[in-house]
Amino acid sequence: MTIPDSGCVMENGASCLPCTPEEEKKIVTDLRNESERNLKEGNLYFVISSSWFRKWERYVGIDGDENLIGNQSSDSRHINGASSVVAERPGPIDNSDIVENGSDSDGKGNDIQLRRMLIEGQDYVLVPQGVWEKLHGWYKGGPELPRKMILQGVYHKKFDVEVYPLCLKLVDSRDESQSTIWLSRKASLTELFQKVCALKGIEQDKVRIWDYFNKRKYAQLSVSNKTLEESNLQMDQDILLELVDGHLSSKIGMDSTGNDLALVSLEPSRSPLTIAGGPTLSNGHSGYRSNLYPGSSLGSGLTDMDDGFDACNSARKGEKGGLAGLQNLGNTCFMNSALQCLVHTPPLVEYFLKDCRAEINTDNPLGMHGELALAFGDLLRKLWSSGRTAIAPRVFKGKLARFAPQFSGYNQHDSQELLAFLLDGLHEDLNRVKQKPYIEMKDSDGRPDEEVAAECWKNHKARNDSVIVDVCQGQYKSTLVCPVCSKISITFDPFMYLSLPLPSTITRTMTVTVFYGDGSRLPMPFTVSVLKNGFCKDLLLALGTACGLKSDESLMLAEVYENKIYRYLEMPLEPLASIKDDEHIVAFRFQKKEIGKTRLVIFHRWQEKAELFGTPLVTYLVADQSSGADIEAAVSKVLSPFKKTSSAKAHVGKENGILLDGLDEECSCSDAQSVENAELEGTSCTDLSIPLRLTDDRVMNFNAFKKDTLFESGKIIGKLLRVVLDWTDKEQELYDSSYLKDIPEVYKAGLAAKKTRQEAISLSSCLDAFLIEEPLGPDDMWYCPRCKEHRQAIKKLDLWMLPEIIVFHLKRFTYGRYLKNKIDTFVNFPIHDLDLSKYVMSKDGQSYLYELYAISNHYGGLGGGHYTAYAKLIDENRWYHFDDSHVSAVNESDIKTSAAYLLFYKRVRSESKVEAGEASHSHSIS
């Protein structure tokens, strides 16, 4: 690929003939695309501050929808402040806001470190080396922050840029001084030795280096190709340097007598431990070790001491198990929270404390060769055998990074996403089915639900049979109804958790101005009430009702900013929280049959001041081939309601800047029917007197076109044409442009209704919202076998069979194109006697009474926050709070909070209640 030259270069390296914004945009786009086609390990990327990069994007005309690299921040245009229509050329690249303690702008990035906890797309963007070289050649500045691309994962490989290399603290045993070393987690131990020896000026054969995690000698590292990640070295941990000269100059790693501490694995104490919900464990350890499995990479010499467990901290006699915390290895609270919930799940505790080697499936191509199950089981046994000593789950995290690279590194993640991966991964590693048979699924064809459900479950069990299926999987009924031919399709599918929406009780008023794409009426503002945590589909529904939208019509939402359309809100599930109160939102009303044709966007410009004004108008060119005359006619048609002629005079009423009325019903040219019947092929009912020009996406270049110029829909990029009307004082006398300029904000104090107060919601209302009948989204159409077409079917879910353990995921996080939002609504959930019988369709004689035993909590907002867990020791009938390493007792009355994210329930068997002599009454959640 040939990249255009950026101009001549002066002595200081700056270009004397800088590229135009359009050229810069094209060069960067081409280089980015070339880089995407040539992804490979070792490629260099460069970190650039988002604040500078957004300025460059505005300069070259990249809006939110076109964002080339990273994710557009929802508040970027507010954060960066209002800019002129023609954005200024940014100054030198400035990364000082994302590096530690600032930096000089000309520094190299070798020893400059990024601030911790930065978020890609919000704080920084990553650009390929070629893009950086061009940007730096044009703008200079810095500092340079190069980062390498690494290959993550074992079975599901993916490329990832290592933004934060591994930071290791080197402790010199001679004087106990500390040095900081930065290396890729994919670097080998050989590279670590080379770097340490070069730093200290010591020959390699005269040193030994220890894994010195938590200031303890865990293992001696040896020169090899083994990576730092495989060696379970963690961010910011210590490593210990010793000289091999027969004596040491410090007492690091010695006992009280001055002797080296022996690094041997000792058998833990054998005091019996009562496991909550499980059997008595006579051996404080597991009864088997991961290195008993030849051929497994777990048998790599790692011992229990790797996670901070040894005989010295095993459970004391009579001390309850299950009270050990998990050390935070760097933003791993999400993992610790989910793990504590799982390791306090009674059936899993009972299963993994036994010898389950016979069920390890090392040949399943969908599994992890049994390694994930072995690592999880090993960690569970340590947590139930170590008393209150916190465990560092380094080996488990290493396995997680290998098999699920999305959880590698040290960024914060979602505990529900980790839970979903763990349940699925454990199932595949423990699947008793060695050869999965091929099974052809049959349609229900009007057969009884009981027959179809039993058949589907039998087919599922023929391919999936594990302790996870036994304990955690249920079945729901899914019904799809075609809206055209009424074809009904019924399937029964398994589930491992239920993701429940949180129905909001807070409403907000939103004012949206509706423009008519056919020019039939003047724009009209409508104020509607919608749920604050709703979506664009809810706003469209409310608007459609308010403006009397017909069945063959559609609305398209857009945000107007600086007299341009900043973004189209075309995603039905875009959260309304992404729309701020001070924004200007408009809706364009069209015939559904026009959607998909060439979109024509009409901008307005003062010819004398050469600046844009007003709200752009949008219409469609319905013909596959349109001439310049057709475009003028379409523009004239859309403008006709604004004409001030006596025959087209409209009633105009305004109060506080809001338009209150539409057209006079007796007007002629602007009458809805006459304009609707205007023909695009000829002249419209009013001649277009305003000069019309073609323009680009930045509305910077203007080109005249002739009436006989042809525009073919198939050759128009993105089926989008942009034109500009050049307004003069003369046109102001003919048209009322105030309708284009006086667009109300989404919310204005004093004009809209008062916001309602948030109230708590119940778990039952969340279940009801999950099971409600609703149409599929336009991006999730169903292929109707009778119509032979994709249809927006009506979908209904029902619970058919419930598992022993049921997990409710409260969907507190909503994700849109521009915004991620968290819902902090308090959900009132039962702790005891959760009765789900009214939600279950099958009557299989099972108890549908459940009791809460664990909660995963999330505090704070997105991009940060903190996870903790509540878990109950069932034999002890007491709740505990697990906050990483810290574990403390908590009253049952205190575990209900608005931070609850994952709820873990276990079935209460009716016979146990009878045996206990308890009363038979229970509380339904309804």
Side-chain angles (χ1 to χ4, degrees):
M1 181 187 68
T2 303
I3 304 298
D5 185 55
S6 59
C8 65
V9 179
M10 298 185 296
E11 290 182 1
N12 62 1
S15 173
C16 63
L17 293 175
C19 296
T20 64
E22 290 77 13
E23 289 172 337
E24 288 189 15
K25 176 182 175 181
K26 183 180 187 308
I27 291 171
V28 169
T29 301
D30 290 344
L31 286 170
R32 175 183 177 272
N33 292 337
E34 183 182 39
S35 175
E36 290 291 326
R37 292 191 297 267
N38 295 282
L39 292 179
K40 61 181 179 180
E41 196 169 12
N43 283 0
L44 270 185
Y45 280 73
F46 286 75
V47 184
I48 299 181
S49 167
S50 284
S51 60
W52 184 89
F53 195 75
R54 300 301 173 216
K55 294 176 184 177
W56 177 81
E57 284 187 317
R58 288 199 300 274
Y59 170 65
V60 299
I62 298 174
D63 58 23
D65 286 334
E66 281 187 276
N67 190 252
L68 289 181
I69 302 166
N71 299 314
Q72 174 73 20
S73 170
S74 61
D75 292 324
S76 61
R77 61 178 180 81
H78 300 288
I79 294 171
N80 293 323
S83 61
S84 59
V85 173
V86 181
E88 295 181 356
R89 191 174 192 269
I93 298 171
D94 184 7
N95 287 332
S96 60
D97 61 326
I98 60 173
V99 298
E100 293 285 0
N101 301 322
S103 174
D104 63 277
S105 61
D106 294 323
K108 299 291 183 180
N110 296 329
D111 299 317
I112 300 173
Q113 298 306 323
L114 288 174
R115 285 171 35 215
R116 296 291 180 94
M117 303 294 289
L118 297 181
I119 300 174
E120 183 179 359
Q122 178 176 315
D123 301 306
Y124 68 89
V125 297
L126 293 168
V127 300
Q129 182 176 4
V131 172
W132 166 260
E133 290 172 351
K134 285 295 180 184
L135 290 175
H136 192 258
W138 294 327
Y139 296 96
K140 301 305 171 189
E144 292 184 0
L145 300 169
R147 295 294 186 267
K148 284 187 178 181
M149 175 169 279
I150 59 177
L151 188 60
Q152 297 277 74
V154 177
Y155 304 114
H156 307 285
K157 296 182 182 294
K158 74 163 191 171
F159 288 108
D160 191 19
V161 177
E162 190 176 27
V163 176
Y164 289 99
L166 188 63
C167 175
L168 299 174
K169 305 299 177 62
L170 176 66
V171 179
D172 192 328
S173 64
R174 294 171 294 179
D175 55 8
E176 300 189 24
S177 62
Q178 287 196 12
S179 307
T180 300
I181 292 178
W182 298 86
L183 275 174
S184 169
R185 57 181 180 270
K186 294 296 183 181
S188 67
L189 289 176
T190 298
E191 294 175 81
L192 173 63
F193 271 82
Q194 290 172 347
K195 189 152 190 173
V196 168
C197 293
L199 178 66
K200 293 295 184 177
I202 307 173
E203 295 180 15
Q204 188 170 299
D205 58 355
K206 293 184 179 180
V207 302
R208 59 186 175 192
I209 300 176
W210 294 89
D211 176 351
Y212 200 49
F213 185 79
N214 281 351
K215 302 293 185 182
R216 289 183 52 204
K217 289 183 177 181
Y218 278 93
Q220 182 176 337
L221 305 177
S222 57
V223 177
S224 69
N225 290 327
K226 189 176 182 180
T227 67
L228 305 185
E229 185 175 53
E230 292 169 343
S231 303
N232 299 310
L233 297 181
Q234 304 297 317
M235 179 71 81
D236 296 324
Q237 81 153 73
D238 293 322
I239 55 175
L240 179 65
L241 170 66
E242 291 182 342
L243 294 184
V244 186
D245 57 359
H247 65 278
L248 298 175
S249 56
S250 78
K251 295 189 177 182
I252 292 178
M254 298 181 184
D255 63 16
S256 57
T257 64
N259 298 318
D260 276 333
L261 288 175
L263 294 178
V264 294
S265 179
L266 302 178
E267 183 69 15
S269 61
R270 295 178 177 269
S271 58
L273 300 173
T274 302
I275 304 303
T280 299
L281 183 66
S282 60
N283 183 346
H285 199 246
S286 63
Y288 68 93
R289 295 282 295 277
S290 60
N291 57 8
L292 294 178
Y293 295 91
S296 169
S297 62
L298 275 180
S300 56
L302 298 174
T303 70
D304 293 309
M305 296 182 65
D306 292 309
D307 279 338
F309 177 91
D310 59 21
C312 300
N313 60 33
S314 59
R316 298 182 182 90
K317 186 174 183 178
E319 188 175 18
K320 290 288 183 182
L323 294 179
L326 288 167
Q327 292 186 27
N328 193 315
L329 304 179
N331 279 335
T332 57
C333 58
F334 76 97
M335 180 182 76
N336 294 346
S337 174
L339 283 174
Q340 290 289 7
C341 293
L342 279 183
V343 301
H344 286 86
T345 298
L348 296 185
V349 174
E350 181 177 358
Y351 179 86
F352 281 101
L353 287 180
K354 295 179 180 178
D355 187 347
C356 57
R357 284 175 291 179
E359 294 199 340
I360 298 292
N361 190 336
T362 59
D363 300 321
N364 187 353
L366 299 179
M368 293 78 177
H369 293 273
E371 293 186 37
L372 183 67
L374 289 171
F376 174 80
D378 194 38
L379 179 61
L380 180 145
R381 288 185 294 277
K382 294 171 191 173
L383 289 170
W384 281 97
S385 305
S386 65
R388 288 178 175 266
T389 302
I391 300 296
R394 296 197 300 160
V395 174
F396 181 83
K397 185 179 183 299
K399 296 299 178 186
L400 188 66
R402 288 185 65 223
F403 297 114
Q406 65 269 30
F407 298 116
S408 63
Y410 303 94
N411 292 329
Q412 183 69 279
H413 294 283
D414 189 321
S415 68
Q416 186 273 331
E417 293 178 0
L418 176 68
L419 176 72
F421 168 79
L422 284 180
L423 289 176
D424 187 61
L426 289 174
H427 157 64
E428 296 295 353
D429 269 4
L430 299 169
N431 198 345
R432 303 174 185 114
V433 179
K434 307 301 181 181
Q435 295 291 332
K436 294 188 176 184
Y438 171 77
I439 299 175
E440 187 173 349
M441 302 304 293
K442 301 177 183 178
D443 199 357
S444 57
D445 285 334
R447 292 181 291 161
D449 284 348
E450 291 78 9
E451 178 184 338
V452 179
E455 179 184 90
C456 290
W457 187 251
K458 179 182 177 182
N459 292 340
H460 176 66
K461 286 279 287 184
R463 295 173 54 85
N464 303 275
D465 185 17
S466 70
V467 65
I468 302 299
V469 176
D470 298 340
V471 170
C472 301
Q473 287 196 1
Q475 189 181 39
Y476 63 77
K477 174 185 176 183
S478 176
T479 305
L480 292 171
V481 181
C482 178
V484 178
C485 71
S486 299
K487 163 70 176 176
I488 298 177
S489 174
I490 297 176
T491 58
F492 290 84
D493 302 304
F495 68 86
M496 276 195 290
Y497 52 87
L498 297 177
S499 294
L500 307 184
L502 272 60
S504 175
T505 60
I506 296 182
T507 60
R508 65 182 288 198
T509 55
M510 301 184 73
T511 299
V512 178
T513 303
V514 177
F515 285 79
Y516 294 78
D518 60 359
S520 60
R521 298 190 65 181
L522 283 168
M524 285 284 291
F526 293 91
T527 299
V528 296
S529 180
V530 292
L531 293 173
K532 181 180 180 182
N533 293 320
F535 302 92
C536 282
K537 66 176 184 178
D538 303 315
L539 176 58
L540 286 170
L541 182 63
L543 267 181
T545 302
C547 71
L549 193 70
K550 299 175 183 178
S551 60
D552 62 347
E553 293 180 315
S554 179
L555 290 173
M556 179 176 65
L557 293 172
E559 179 190 348
V560 176
Y561 176 67
E562 293 186 345
N563 309 309
K564 293 181 181 180
I565 294 178
Y566 178 71
R567 55 171 173 151
Y568 292 100
L569 300 166
E570 296 182 290
M571 295 179 63
L573 296 181
E574 176 77 27
L576 292 180
S578 68
I579 302 175
K580 308 302 180 185
D581 288 343
D582 60 348
E583 293 177 356
H584 296 85
I585 303 297
V586 298
F588 299 102
R589 184 172 179 171
F590 303 107
Q591 293 287 318
K592 287 183 178 178
K593 63 183 181 182
E594 296 176 345
I595 307 299
K597 302 294 184 180
T598 300
R599 185 183 298 175
L600 181 64
V601 183
I602 307 160
F603 298 94
H604 311 279
R605 187 176 73 135
W606 284 116
Q607 196 174 56
E608 294 180 359
K609 297 182 180 180
E611 63 182 26
L612 298 181
F613 77 94
T615 302
L617 301 174
V618 178
T619 188
Y620 281 94
L621 300 174
V622 296
D624 291 333
Q625 187 179 60
S626 301
S627 66
D630 294 331
I631 293 176
E632 289 189 0
V635 174
S636 179
K637 181 180 178 181
V638 175
L639 279 181
S640 59
F642 303 93
K643 201 167 181 64
K644 289 182 179 179
T645 59
S646 58
S647 61
K649 186 175 180 180
H651 290 303
V652 178
K654 298 182 183 178
E655 181 178 333
N656 296 325
I658 293 184
L659 312 175
L660 299 178
D661 202 357
L663 289 172
D664 181 75
E665 292 183 357
E666 297 180 357
C667 70
S668 58
C669 190
S670 58
D671 179 79
Q673 187 64 38
S674 63
V675 175
E676 188 175 329
N677 295 331
E679 296 183 354
L680 284 178
E681 288 78 6
T683 58
S684 65
C685 58
T686 55
D687 292 329
L688 183 63
S689 60
I690 309 176
L692 189 65
R693 303 177 186 277
L694 287 174
T695 187
D696 55 13
D697 56 348
R698 299 185 68 239
V699 199
M700 290 288 295
N701 299 309
F702 310 100
N703 300 305
F705 61 91
K706 298 179 180 179
K707 290 189 176 184
D708 58 357
T709 303
L710 294 179
F711 299 89
E712 295 184 26
S713 177
K715 296 183 179 180
I716 298 174
I717 299 177
K719 289 190 175 182
L720 178 63
L721 277 178
R722 303 175 182 86
V723 295
V724 168
L725 288 167
D726 275 334
W727 292 70
T728 64
D729 291 338
K730 176 183 176 182
E731 279 69 41
Q732 285 292 331
E733 298 174 0
L734 298 176
Y735 294 90
D736 187 352
S737 62
S738 64
Y739 287 93
L740 300 171
K741 295 183 288 186
D742 299 332
I743 302 299
E745 296 177 350
V746 167
Y747 172 82
K748 195 166 186 178
L751 291 178
K754 188 176 181 180
K755 295 181 180 179
T756 57
R757 182 173 173 268
Q758 172 68 52
E759 298 176 0
I761 60 177
S762 65
L763 185 61
S764 64
S765 64
C766 298
L767 264 169
D768 291 336
F770 173 73
L771 299 173
I772 196 171
E773 181 179 276
E774 63 179 359
L776 295 176
D779 298 328
D780 190 26
M781 305 280 272
W782 170 65
Y783 182 79
C784 176
R786 183 179 295 169
C787 297
K788 306 297 182 184
E789 290 186 26
H790 285 88
R791 301 294 189 191
Q792 197 167 356
I794 305 299
K795 184 175 184 178
K796 175 72 171 70
L797 292 178
D798 294 288
L799 299 181
W800 184 262
M801 180 177 67
L802 298 185
E804 292 292 309
I805 299 297
I806 187 167
V807 181
F808 293 111
H809 164 220
L810 304 179
K811 296 173 69 174
R812 295 195 177 276
F813 303 121
T814 57
Y815 300 92
R817 185 182 302 176
Y818 300 98
L819 183 73
K820 298 177 182 178
N821 185 48
K822 185 188 176 187
I823 303 171
D824 287 313
T825 304
F826 175 77
V827 178
N828 189 15
F829 49 88
I831 298 175
H832 303 283
D833 299 334
L834 168 64
D835 189 357
L836 296 175
S837 57
K838 76 171 186 176
Y839 293 100
V840 185
M841 296 188 67
S842 70
K843 305 303 175 186
D844 53 7
Q846 291 278 6
S847 167
Y848 295 118
L849 206 61
Y850 287 82
E851 178 177 300
L852 186 73
Y853 71 89
I855 306 171
S856 175
N857 302 301
H858 180 270
Y859 298 91
L862 289 167
H866 183 60
Y867 286 93
T868 68
Y870 291 123
K872 183 179 183 180
L873 292 190
I874 297 172
D875 288 354
E876 192 178 321
N877 195 30
R878 190 170 187 180
W879 284 88
Y880 289 87
H881 183 217
F882 295 84
D883 185 357
D884 289 333
S885 300
H886 183 69
V887 180
S888 58
V890 62
N891 293 326
E892 184 175 273
S893 58
D894 295 331
I895 66 173
K896 286 188 178 183
T897 70
S898 60
Y901 183 45
L902 300 175
L903 304 175
F904 292 74
Y905 284 89
K906 70 181 187 70
R907 192 194 303 274
V908 177
R909 298 210 173 267
S910 56
E911 60 267 25
S912 64
K913 292 176 66 69
V914 173
E915 291 172 1
E918 297 182 5
S920 60
H921 110 277
S922 63
H923 304 288
S924 172
I925 65 171
S926 58

